[in-house]
Amino acid sequence: MISHGKDVKVFCANANRPFAETVCRELGLPLGNSTVTTFADGEVSVSFNETVRGSDVFLVQSTCKPVNNNLMELLIMIDACKRASAGRITAVIPYFGYARQDRKAKGRDPISAKLVANMIEAAGADRVLTMDLHAAQIQGFFDIPVDNMHGVVVFTKYYLEKFPDTHEGMVVVSPDVGSVARSRAFANRMGMGLAIVDKRREKANQCEVMNVIGDVAGKACILYDDMVDTAGSLCNAAKAIYEKGATKVYACATHGVLSGPAIERVQNSVIDELVLLNTIPAPEAAKGTKIKYLDVAPIFAEAIQRTYDEVSLSPMF
């Protein structure tokens, strides 16, 4: 018997139940029996309808829209498990909200990512399992182990299968300077060159493309980022490289936040296809558009099994 839990139990709240169900199918386990609702005044109500005493509990919940509701559901579930004597509690957060607020951009700004980390720890979580944090250093905001998995392996497999013979003549493009490190890692895996779109952000969720660093003329390009929110940066970057002579423009990102006019912008842009991972549920409006989703539930299922077995996650990536 492994000391931290006699068995594995997976529960979920309301952020992405189909994702949690797929994870459980991959593990060969039933999804835990729990109820997460709200009282008349909007307060979150959580009930676990089976014992978790001594179990290795994994709580699957993305902190996507509505961010605060989903975050509170996760925190209250953690607290309930702790008070029910769970052997170990792992918060499985495919998309970690508030991650963009990881530093003080100007005076009197909060560092909300650190606050959320403190809340998750205070609630009683023993570990965190997530994917493609907006800033990798957020792992250091926690005093508990954080496994930050990488969606790049999924995109690499997808594009190598999609372009088995022509990927040598393609180039990976970072949509901004901040994404250069992750884009370089993707380009190295793909055996492609790298270009960078340099832009000046005038205000939140708006940007102005300034220059393209690198050769994209006559090449098919893959824009790579960690998330797509309003899609302004992505579509402007796509337009910039297209005007520099790119023949095709593809795009991929781990998290599809897709706020406001994002889907319409992608549809009206020069992007031929946008590939996202299902760390955030796909909105109904995205069906039948240029947006395609890849399933990462099997990766999370393997990570959960490895965590329980006390086996390294590194070989997965």
Side-chain angles (χ1 to χ4, degrees), residues 151-185:
V152 65
V153 295
V154 182
F155 293 124
T156 301
K157 181 176 183 293
Y158 174 77
Y159 284 113
L160 287 178
E161 291 176 355
K162 186 179 179 71
F163 306 111
D165 303 317
T166 61
H167 67 272
E168 294 87 352
M170 301 174 70
V171 62
V172 173
V173 181
S174 173
D176 55 42
V177 175
S179 298
V180 170
R182 64 173 62 94
S183 296
R184 182 182 292 115

Side-chain angles (χ1 to χ4, degrees), residues 47-58:
S47 296
F48 284 88
N49 304 317
E50 61 183 89
T51 182
V52 297
R53 184 178 294 271
S55 298
D56 200 0
V57 175
F58 294 83

